[in-house]
Amino acid sequence: MNFGPLPSVEAAAVPAEGLVLDVRENDEWAAGHVEGALHVPMSDFVARFGEVTEAVADGRTAYVMCRVGGRSAQVTQYLVGQGIDAVNVTGGMQAWEGAGRPMVTDHGNPAFVL
């Protein structure tokens, strides 16, 4: 079965108001993340799928991100299969940081990619 190419976008091209769906684990999120992102770790994804469908209920695109793009590609493929407009962020948080995009932490510490 061929699903065709996975929709993807460079980190620098994610719109500032875009819905970023971060599927990294809690320690990675704590080190640094995109402000306003929805954090649903891949390990909790099925159990918390309702949070994702609620966030995109108004037709928003989900920009799915992990550290380098592997986990987010799997989640993006799943979401697209569910009829959700989802795009994998190529290169993940490493590319986001490399593009000079802003990152935050929940405690005000300097943000970095773990």
Side-chain angles (χ1 to χ4, degrees):
M1 182 178 261
N2 187 347
F3 295 103
L6 190 66
S8 62
V9 66
E10 297 294 326
V14 175
E17 69 285 352
L19 171 64
V20 173
L21 173 59
D22 191 324
V23 299
R24 297 175 303 149
E25 295 304 316
N26 292 331
D27 59 337
E28 295 173 290
W29 169 268
H33 55 268
V34 177
E35 188 168 12
L38 174 60
H39 180 223
V40 180
M42 188 172 172
S43 58
D44 296 340
F45 201 78
V46 174
R48 295 178 56 192
F49 184 65
E51 292 175 50
V52 178
T53 57
E54 192 175 296
V56 298
D58 58 0
R60 293 177 79 187
T61 299
Y63 294 91
V64 188
M65 186 150 21
C66 63
R67 187 167 68 91
V68 294
R71 289 170 286 179
S72 57
Q74 294 175 53
V75 171
T76 300
Q77 187 171 25
Y78 176 78
L79 291 173
V80 169
Q82 303 300 310
I84 293 172
D85 186 11
V87 180
N88 187 42
V89 178
T90 306
M93 283 299 295
Q94 287 185 337
W96 184 272
E97 183 179 47
R101 302 290 303 262
M103 299 188 311
V104 297
T105 66
D106 292 335
H107 306 292
N109 300 329
F112 65 96
V113 177
L114 183 63

Short mmCIF file of all heavy atoms in Angstrom, two decimals, residues 17-81:
data_model
loop_
_atom_site.label_atom_id
_atom_site.label_comp_id
_atom_site.label_asym_id
_atom_site.label_seq_id
_atom_site.Cartn_x
_atom_site.Cartn_y
_atom_site.Cartn_z
N GLU A 17 1.65 31.77 13.72
CA GLU A 17 0.39 31.47 14.41
C GLU A 17 -0.02 30.00 14.21
O GLU A 17 -1.09 29.59 14.63
CB GLU A 17 -0.72 32.40 13.93
CG GLU A 17 -1.18 32.18 12.51
CD GLU A 17 -0.21 32.71 11.43
OE1 GLU A 17 0.78 33.40 11.76
OE2 GLU A 17 -0.44 32.41 10.26
N GLY A 18 0.85 29.20 13.59
CA GLY A 18 0.52 27.80 13.31
C GLY A 18 0.43 26.97 14.57
O GLY A 18 1.08 27.25 15.58
N LEU A 19 -0.37 25.91 14.50
CA LEU A 19 -0.52 24.99 15.63
C LEU A 19 0.61 23.96 15.55
O LEU A 19 0.62 23.10 14.68
CB LEU A 19 -1.86 24.27 15.56
CG LEU A 19 -2.03 23.11 16.57
CD1 LEU A 19 -2.00 23.62 17.99
CD2 LEU A 19 -3.30 22.34 16.28
N VAL A 20 1.59 24.10 16.46
CA VAL A 20 2.69 23.14 16.52
C VAL A 20 2.29 22.03 17.49
O VAL A 20 1.91 22.30 18.62
CB VAL A 20 4.00 23.82 16.97
CG1 VAL A 20 5.10 22.79 17.19
CG2 VAL A 20 4.44 24.87 15.95
N LEU A 21 2.37 20.80 17.00
CA LEU A 21 2.08 19.62 17.81
C LEU A 21 3.42 18.95 18.10
O LEU A 21 4.06 18.40 17.21
CB LEU A 21 1.15 18.67 17.06
CG LEU A 21 0.89 17.31 17.70
CD1 LEU A 21 0.29 17.45 19.09
CD2 LEU A 21 0.01 16.46 16.81
N ASP A 22 3.86 19.04 19.35
CA ASP A 22 5.16 18.51 19.77
C ASP A 22 4.95 17.11 20.35
O ASP A 22 4.26 16.95 21.34
CB ASP A 22 5.76 19.45 20.82
CG ASP A 22 7.21 19.16 21.15
OD1 ASP A 22 7.60 17.97 21.16
OD2 ASP A 22 7.95 20.12 21.42
N VAL A 23 5.55 16.09 19.69
CA VAL A 23 5.33 14.71 20.12
C VAL A 23 6.54 14.13 20.88
O VAL A 23 6.62 12.93 21.10
CB VAL A 23 4.94 13.80 18.93
CG1 VAL A 23 3.64 14.27 18.30
CG2 VAL A 23 6.05 13.72 17.88
N ARG A 24 7.45 15.02 21.33
CA ARG A 24 8.62 14.57 22.10
C ARG A 24 8.20 14.20 23.52
O ARG A 24 7.12 14.55 23.97
CB ARG A 24 9.69 15.66 22.13
CG ARG A 24 10.23 16.00 20.73
CD ARG A 24 11.19 17.17 20.77
NE ARG A 24 10.53 18.34 21.36
CZ ARG A 24 11.15 19.28 22.07
NH1 ARG A 24 12.44 19.22 22.28
NH2 ARG A 24 10.49 20.31 22.56
N GLU A 25 9.10 13.54 24.21
CA GLU A 25 8.82 13.12 25.58
C GLU A 25 8.98 14.30 26.54
O GLU A 25 9.50 15.36 26.18
CB GLU A 25 9.74 11.95 25.97
CG GLU A 25 9.45 10.69 25.15
CD GLU A 25 8.00 10.21 25.22
OE1 GLU A 25 7.41 10.18 26.32
OE2 GLU A 25 7.45 9.86 24.15
N ASN A 26 8.54 14.11 27.78
CA ASN A 26 8.49 15.20 28.76
C ASN A 26 9.84 15.87 29.01
O ASN A 26 9.91 17.09 29.15
CB ASN A 26 7.89 14.71 30.08
CG ASN A 26 6.42 14.38 29.94
OD1 ASN A 26 5.71 14.96 29.13
ND2 ASN A 26 5.95 13.43 30.73
N ASP A 27 10.93 15.08 29.09
CA ASP A 27 12.24 15.68 29.36
C ASP A 27 12.70 16.55 28.19
O ASP A 27 13.30 17.60 28.38
CB ASP A 27 13.29 14.61 29.71
CG ASP A 27 13.49 13.57 28.63
OD1 ASP A 27 12.59 13.36 27.78
OD2 ASP A 27 14.57 12.94 28.62
N GLU A 28 12.39 16.13 26.97
CA GLU A 28 12.74 16.92 25.79
C GLU A 28 11.95 18.23 25.77
O GLU A 28 12.50 19.30 25.47
CB GLU A 28 12.45 16.13 24.52
CG GLU A 28 13.28 14.88 24.35
CD GLU A 28 12.82 14.05 23.18
OE1 GLU A 28 11.72 13.45 23.25
OE2 GLU A 28 13.55 14.02 22.18
N TRP A 29 10.66 18.14 26.08
CA TRP A 29 9.79 19.32 26.13
C TRP A 29 10.30 20.31 27.17
O TRP A 29 10.38 21.51 26.93
CB TRP A 29 8.37 18.87 26.46
CG TRP A 29 7.41 19.97 26.81
CD1 TRP A 29 7.13 20.44 28.05
CD2 TRP A 29 6.60 20.74 25.91
NE1 TRP A 29 6.19 21.44 27.98
CE2 TRP A 29 5.86 21.65 26.69
CE3 TRP A 29 6.45 20.75 24.53
CZ2 TRP A 29 4.96 22.56 26.12
CZ3 TRP A 29 5.54 21.65 23.96
CH2 TRP A 29 4.82 22.55 24.76
N ALA A 30 10.67 19.80 28.35
CA ALA A 30 11.11 20.67 29.45
C ALA A 30 12.38 21.44 29.08
O ALA A 30 12.56 22.58 29.51
CB ALA A 30 11.35 19.84 30.72
N ALA A 31 13.26 20.84 28.28
CA ALA A 31 14.51 21.50 27.89
C ALA A 31 14.26 22.72 27.01
O ALA A 31 14.98 23.71 27.11
CB ALA A 31 15.43 20.51 27.17
N GLY A 32 13.24 22.65 26.17
CA GLY A 32 12.92 23.77 25.29
C GLY A 32 11.87 23.37 24.28
O GLY A 32 11.89 22.26 23.77
N HIS A 33 10.91 24.28 24.03
CA HIS A 33 9.83 23.99 23.10
C HIS A 33 9.33 25.28 22.46
O HIS A 33 9.71 26.38 22.86
CB HIS A 33 8.68 23.25 23.80
CG HIS A 33 8.15 23.96 25.01
ND1 HIS A 33 8.64 23.72 26.28
CD2 HIS A 33 7.21 24.92 25.15
CE1 HIS A 33 8.00 24.49 27.15
NE2 HIS A 33 7.12 25.23 26.49
N VAL A 34 8.44 25.12 21.48
CA VAL A 34 7.83 26.25 20.80
C VAL A 34 6.73 26.80 21.70
O VAL A 34 5.86 26.04 22.17
CB VAL A 34 7.24 25.81 19.44
CG1 VAL A 34 6.54 26.97 18.76
CG2 VAL A 34 8.35 25.23 18.56
N GLU A 35 6.75 28.10 21.95
CA GLU A 35 5.72 28.71 22.79
C GLU A 35 4.35 28.49 22.17
O GLU A 35 4.17 28.69 20.97
CB GLU A 35 5.99 30.21 22.94
CG GLU A 35 5.07 30.86 23.96
CD GLU A 35 5.49 32.27 24.34
OE1 GLU A 35 6.36 32.84 23.65
OE2 GLU A 35 4.95 32.79 25.32
N GLY A 36 3.40 28.04 22.99
CA GLY A 36 2.04 27.82 22.53
C GLY A 36 1.81 26.47 21.87
O GLY A 36 0.70 26.18 21.45
N ALA A 37 2.86 25.65 21.78
CA ALA A 37 2.71 24.33 21.15
C ALA A 37 1.82 23.42 22.00
O ALA A 37 1.74 23.58 23.22
CB ALA A 37 4.08 23.68 20.96
N LEU A 38 1.17 22.48 21.34
CA LEU A 38 0.42 21.43 22.03
C LEU A 38 1.37 20.27 22.24
O LEU A 38 1.94 19.75 21.28
CB LEU A 38 -0.79 21.00 21.18
CG LEU A 38 -1.61 19.82 21.69
CD1 LEU A 38 -2.20 20.12 23.07
CD2 LEU A 38 -2.71 19.48 20.70
N HIS A 39 1.58 19.88 23.50
CA HIS A 39 2.52 18.80 23.82
C HIS A 39 1.76 17.52 24.09
O HIS A 39 1.06 17.39 25.10
CB HIS A 39 3.36 19.19 25.05
CG HIS A 39 4.35 18.15 25.43
ND1 HIS A 39 4.56 17.78 26.74
CD2 HIS A 39 5.19 17.40 24.69
CE1 HIS A 39 5.49 16.84 26.78
NE2 HIS A 39 5.89 16.59 25.54
N VAL A 40 1.87 16.57 23.16
CA VAL A 40 1.28 15.25 23.32
C VAL A 40 2.37 14.24 22.95
O VAL A 40 2.61 13.97 21.78
CB VAL A 40 0.03 15.04 22.43
CG1 VAL A 40 -0.54 13.64 22.65
CG2 VAL A 40 -1.02 16.11 22.70
N PRO A 41 3.10 13.71 23.97
CA PRO A 41 4.18 12.77 23.67
C PRO A 41 3.69 11.58 22.84
O PRO A 41 2.57 11.11 23.04
CB PRO A 41 4.65 12.30 25.06
CG PRO A 41 4.22 13.39 25.98
CD PRO A 41 2.94 13.94 25.41
N MET A 42 4.53 11.14 21.91
CA MET A 42 4.16 10.01 21.06
C MET A 42 3.74 8.81 21.90
O MET A 42 2.81 8.09 21.54
CB MET A 42 5.32 9.65 20.13
CG MET A 42 4.96 8.62 19.09
SD MET A 42 6.32 8.45 17.92
CE MET A 42 5.74 7.03 17.00
N SER A 43 4.38 8.61 23.04
CA SER A 43 4.06 7.47 23.91
C SER A 43 2.65 7.56 24.51
O SER A 43 2.08 6.55 24.91
CB SER A 43 5.08 7.33 25.03
OG SER A 43 5.13 8.51 25.80
N ASP A 44 2.08 8.77 24.55
CA ASP A 44 0.72 8.98 25.09
C ASP A 44 -0.28 9.29 23.98
O ASP A 44 -1.44 9.62 24.25
CB ASP A 44 0.69 10.20 26.04
CG ASP A 44 1.55 10.01 27.27
OD1 ASP A 44 1.87 8.85 27.61
OD2 ASP A 44 1.91 11.02 27.89
N PHE A 45 0.15 9.21 22.73
CA PHE A 45 -0.63 9.78 21.63
C PHE A 45 -2.02 9.18 21.48
O PHE A 45 -3.00 9.91 21.35
CB PHE A 45 0.14 9.67 20.31
CG PHE A 45 -0.36 10.65 19.30
CD1 PHE A 45 0.01 11.98 19.36
CD2 PHE A 45 -1.25 10.25 18.32
CE1 PHE A 45 -0.49 12.89 18.46
CE2 PHE A 45 -1.75 11.16 17.41
CZ PHE A 45 -1.36 12.48 17.48
N VAL A 46 -2.11 7.87 21.49
CA VAL A 46 -3.42 7.24 21.30
C VAL A 46 -4.37 7.61 22.43
O VAL A 46 -5.52 7.99 22.18
CB VAL A 46 -3.28 5.71 21.14
CG1 VAL A 46 -4.65 5.04 21.08
CG2 VAL A 46 -2.48 5.39 19.88
N ALA A 47 -3.87 7.59 23.67
CA ALA A 47 -4.71 7.92 24.83
C ALA A 47 -5.16 9.37 24.81
O ALA A 47 -6.25 9.70 25.31
CB ALA A 47 -3.96 7.62 26.13
N ARG A 48 -4.35 10.27 24.23
CA ARG A 48 -4.66 11.70 24.26
C ARG A 48 -5.08 12.23 22.89
O ARG A 48 -5.10 13.44 22.66
CB ARG A 48 -3.45 12.46 24.78
CG ARG A 48 -3.15 12.12 26.25
CD ARG A 48 -1.94 12.82 26.79
NE ARG A 48 -2.03 14.26 26.65
CZ ARG A 48 -1.00 15.09 26.83
NH1 ARG A 48 0.19 14.62 27.17
NH2 ARG A 48 -1.15 16.39 26.68
N PHE A 49 -5.45 11.33 21.98
CA PHE A 49 -5.82 11.71 20.62
C PHE A 49 -6.94 12.75 20.59
O PHE A 49 -6.96 13.63 19.74
CB PHE A 49 -6.20 10.46 19.81
CG PHE A 49 -6.51 10.74 18.38
CD1 PHE A 49 -5.52 11.22 17.52
CD2 PHE A 49 -7.78 10.54 17.87
CE1 PHE A 49 -5.79 11.49 16.19
CE2 PHE A 49 -8.06 10.81 16.54
CZ PHE A 49 -7.07 11.27 15.70
N GLY A 50 -7.85 12.69 21.55
CA GLY A 50 -8.96 13.64 21.61
C GLY A 50 -8.49 15.08 21.74
O GLY A 50 -9.11 16.00 21.19
N GLU A 51 -7.37 15.30 22.44
CA GLU A 51 -6.82 16.66 22.58
C GLU A 51 -6.38 17.19 21.21
O GLU A 51 -6.53 18.38 20.93
CB GLU A 51 -5.63 16.67 23.53
CG GLU A 51 -5.99 16.38 24.96
CD GLU A 51 -4.74 16.27 25.83
OE1 GLU A 51 -3.89 17.18 25.78
OE2 GLU A 51 -4.63 15.27 26.57
N VAL A 52 -5.84 16.30 20.40
CA VAL A 52 -5.38 16.70 19.07
C VAL A 52 -6.58 17.02 18.18
O VAL A 52 -6.61 18.07 17.53
CB VAL A 52 -4.51 15.59 18.44
CG1 VAL A 52 -4.08 15.99 17.03
CG2 VAL A 52 -3.30 15.31 19.32
N THR A 53 -7.59 16.15 18.17
CA THR A 53 -8.75 16.40 17.31
C THR A 53 -9.47 17.68 17.74
O THR A 53 -9.96 18.42 16.89
CB THR A 53 -9.73 15.21 17.31
OG1 THR A 53 -10.14 14.92 18.64
CG2 THR A 53 -9.09 13.98 16.69
N GLU A 54 -9.49 17.96 19.04
CA GLU A 54 -10.10 19.20 19.54
C GLU A 54 -9.32 20.42 19.04
O GLU A 54 -9.91 21.42 18.64
CB GLU A 54 -10.12 19.15 21.06
CG GLU A 54 -10.96 20.22 21.70
CD GLU A 54 -11.00 20.02 23.22
OE1 GLU A 54 -11.54 18.99 23.67
OE2 GLU A 54 -10.50 20.91 23.93
N ALA A 55 -7.99 20.33 19.05
CA ALA A 55 -7.14 21.46 18.65
C ALA A 55 -7.26 21.78 17.16
O ALA A 55 -7.08 22.92 16.76
CB ALA A 55 -5.68 21.18 19.00
N VAL A 56 -7.58 20.78 16.35
CA VAL A 56 -7.69 21.00 14.90
C VAL A 56 -9.14 21.01 14.42
O VAL A 56 -9.40 21.02 13.22
CB VAL A 56 -6.88 19.95 14.10
CG1 VAL A 56 -5.40 20.05 14.42
CG2 VAL A 56 -7.40 18.54 14.34
N ALA A 57 -10.09 21.05 15.37
CA ALA A 57 -11.50 20.97 15.02
C ALA A 57 -11.95 22.08 14.09
O ALA A 57 -12.87 21.91 13.30
CB ALA A 57 -12.36 20.96 16.29
N ASP A 58 -11.29 23.23 14.16
CA ASP A 58 -11.68 24.37 13.31
C ASP A 58 -10.96 24.33 11.95
O ASP A 58 -10.91 25.33 11.26
CB ASP A 58 -11.40 25.69 14.03
CG ASP A 58 -9.93 25.84 14.43
OD1 ASP A 58 -9.12 24.93 14.15
OD2 ASP A 58 -9.59 26.87 15.03
N GLY A 59 -10.39 23.17 11.61
CA GLY A 59 -9.73 23.03 10.32
C GLY A 59 -8.28 23.46 10.31
O GLY A 59 -7.67 23.56 9.25
N ARG A 60 -7.71 23.74 11.49
CA ARG A 60 -6.31 24.16 11.55
C ARG A 60 -5.39 23.03 11.11
O ARG A 60 -5.68 21.86 11.30
CB ARG A 60 -5.93 24.54 12.98
CG ARG A 60 -6.63 25.80 13.48
CD ARG A 60 -6.26 26.09 14.91
NE ARG A 60 -4.94 26.72 14.98
CZ ARG A 60 -4.30 26.97 16.12
NH1 ARG A 60 -4.84 26.61 17.27
NH2 ARG A 60 -3.13 27.57 16.12
N THR A 61 -4.28 23.40 10.55
CA THR A 61 -3.24 22.45 10.19
C THR A 61 -2.38 22.18 11.42
O THR A 61 -2.03 23.12 12.14
CB THR A 61 -2.34 23.03 9.08
OG1 THR A 61 -3.14 23.28 7.93
CG2 THR A 61 -1.20 22.08 8.72
N ALA A 62 -2.06 20.92 11.66
CA ALA A 62 -1.15 20.56 12.74
C ALA A 62 0.25 20.43 12.16
O ALA A 62 0.49 19.65 11.24
CB ALA A 62 -1.58 19.24 13.38
N TYR A 63 1.19 21.24 12.68
CA TYR A 63 2.60 21.16 12.29
C TYR A 63 3.27 20.26 13.32
O TYR A 63 3.52 20.68 14.45
CB TYR A 63 3.22 22.56 12.26
CG TYR A 63 2.61 23.42 11.18
CD1 TYR A 63 1.51 24.22 11.43
CD2 TYR A 63 3.13 23.38 9.88
CE1 TYR A 63 0.94 24.99 10.43
CE2 TYR A 63 2.56 24.15 8.87
CZ TYR A 63 1.46 24.94 9.15
OH TYR A 63 0.88 25.69 8.15
N VAL A 64 3.53 19.02 12.93
CA VAL A 64 3.98 17.99 13.86
C VAL A 64 5.51 18.00 13.97
O VAL A 64 6.21 17.99 12.95
CB VAL A 64 3.47 16.60 13.43
CG1 VAL A 64 3.78 15.56 14.51
CG2 VAL A 64 1.97 16.64 13.13
N MET A 65 6.01 18.02 15.21
CA MET A 65 7.43 18.17 15.44
C MET A 65 7.93 17.23 16.53
O MET A 65 7.26 17.02 17.53
CB MET A 65 7.73 19.62 15.84
CG MET A 65 9.18 19.90 15.96
SD MET A 65 9.72 21.57 15.60
CE MET A 65 8.35 22.61 15.76
N CYS A 66 9.15 16.69 16.30
CA CYS A 66 9.87 15.97 17.34
C CYS A 66 11.30 16.53 17.34
O CYS A 66 11.48 17.71 17.01
CB CYS A 66 9.83 14.45 17.12
SG CYS A 66 10.63 13.89 15.60
N ARG A 67 12.29 15.74 17.69
CA ARG A 67 13.65 16.28 17.75
C ARG A 67 14.25 16.44 16.36
O ARG A 67 14.79 17.49 16.03
CB ARG A 67 14.55 15.40 18.62
CG ARG A 67 15.93 16.02 18.85
CD ARG A 67 16.68 15.32 19.96
NE ARG A 67 17.07 13.97 19.60
CZ ARG A 67 18.23 13.65 19.01
NH1 ARG A 67 19.11 14.58 18.75
NH2 ARG A 67 18.49 12.41 18.72
N VAL A 68 14.17 15.37 15.53
CA VAL A 68 14.77 15.44 14.19
C VAL A 68 13.80 15.10 13.06
O VAL A 68 14.15 15.30 11.90
CB VAL A 68 16.03 14.54 14.06
CG1 VAL A 68 17.15 15.05 14.95
CG2 VAL A 68 15.71 13.10 14.36
N GLY A 69 12.63 14.59 13.35
CA GLY A 69 11.64 14.35 12.30
C GLY A 69 11.15 12.93 12.13
O GLY A 69 10.23 12.70 11.35
N GLY A 70 11.72 11.96 12.84
CA GLY A 70 11.31 10.57 12.68
C GLY A 70 9.98 10.25 13.35
O GLY A 70 9.06 9.73 12.72
N ARG A 71 9.88 10.58 14.63
CA ARG A 71 8.62 10.32 15.35
C ARG A 71 7.49 11.16 14.78
O ARG A 71 6.36 10.68 14.61
CB ARG A 71 8.78 10.62 16.85
CG ARG A 71 9.65 9.62 17.58
CD ARG A 71 9.97 10.08 18.99
NE ARG A 71 10.95 11.16 18.96
CZ ARG A 71 11.42 11.78 20.04
NH1 ARG A 71 10.96 11.46 21.24
NH2 ARG A 71 12.32 12.73 19.93
N SER A 72 7.79 12.41 14.46
CA SER A 72 6.75 13.28 13.92
C SER A 72 6.26 12.79 12.57
O SER A 72 5.08 12.94 12.24
CB SER A 72 7.23 14.73 13.85
OG SER A 72 8.40 14.85 13.07
N ALA A 73 7.14 12.18 11.77
CA ALA A 73 6.71 11.62 10.48
C ALA A 73 5.69 10.51 10.70
O ALA A 73 4.67 10.43 9.99
CB ALA A 73 7.91 11.10 9.69
N GLN A 74 5.92 9.66 11.70
CA GLN A 74 4.98 8.58 12.00
C GLN A 74 3.64 9.13 12.45
O GLN A 74 2.58 8.67 12.03
CB GLN A 74 5.55 7.66 13.08
CG GLN A 74 6.78 6.89 12.65
CD GLN A 74 7.35 6.09 13.80
OE1 GLN A 74 6.64 5.32 14.45
NE2 GLN A 74 8.63 6.28 14.08
N VAL A 75 3.67 10.14 13.33
CA VAL A 75 2.44 10.74 13.82
C VAL A 75 1.71 11.47 12.69
O VAL A 75 0.48 11.37 12.56
CB VAL A 75 2.72 11.68 15.02
CG1 VAL A 75 1.48 12.49 15.38
CG2 VAL A 75 3.22 10.88 16.21
N THR A 76 2.46 12.17 11.85
CA THR A 76 1.84 12.87 10.71
C THR A 76 1.13 11.87 9.81
O THR A 76 -0.01 12.10 9.39
CB THR A 76 2.90 13.66 9.91
OG1 THR A 76 3.50 14.62 10.77
CG2 THR A 76 2.29 14.36 8.71
N GLN A 77 1.78 10.75 9.51
CA GLN A 77 1.16 9.73 8.66
C GLN A 77 -0.13 9.23 9.28
O GLN A 77 -1.14 9.06 8.60
CB GLN A 77 2.14 8.58 8.44
CG GLN A 77 1.65 7.55 7.44
CD GLN A 77 2.72 6.54 7.08
OE1 GLN A 77 3.64 6.29 7.85
NE2 GLN A 77 2.61 5.97 5.91
N TYR A 78 -0.12 9.01 10.60
CA TYR A 78 -1.31 8.56 11.30
C TYR A 78 -2.43 9.60 11.21
O TYR A 78 -3.58 9.28 10.90
CB TYR A 78 -0.97 8.26 12.77
CG TYR A 78 -2.18 7.89 13.60
CD1 TYR A 78 -2.74 6.62 13.52
CD2 TYR A 78 -2.77 8.80 14.44
CE1 TYR A 78 -3.85 6.26 14.26
CE2 TYR A 78 -3.89 8.47 15.20
CZ TYR A 78 -4.42 7.20 15.10
OH TYR A 78 -5.54 6.86 15.83
N LEU A 79 -2.09 10.87 11.47
CA LEU A 79 -3.10 11.93 11.44
C LEU A 79 -3.71 12.09 10.05
O LEU A 79 -4.92 12.23 9.91
CB LEU A 79 -2.48 13.26 11.90
CG LEU A 79 -2.11 13.34 13.38
CD1 LEU A 79 -1.35 14.63 13.66
CD2 LEU A 79 -3.33 13.23 14.27
N VAL A 80 -2.86 12.08 9.03
CA VAL A 80 -3.35 12.19 7.65
C VAL A 80 -4.31 11.03 7.36
O VAL A 80 -5.37 11.22 6.74
CB VAL A 80 -2.18 12.24 6.65
CG1 VAL A 80 -2.66 12.07 5.22
CG2 VAL A 80 -1.41 13.55 6.80
N GLY A 81 -3.97 9.84 7.86
CA GLY A 81 -4.84 8.68 7.70
C GLY A 81 -6.18 8.84 8.38
O GLY A 81 -7.17 8.20 7.99
#
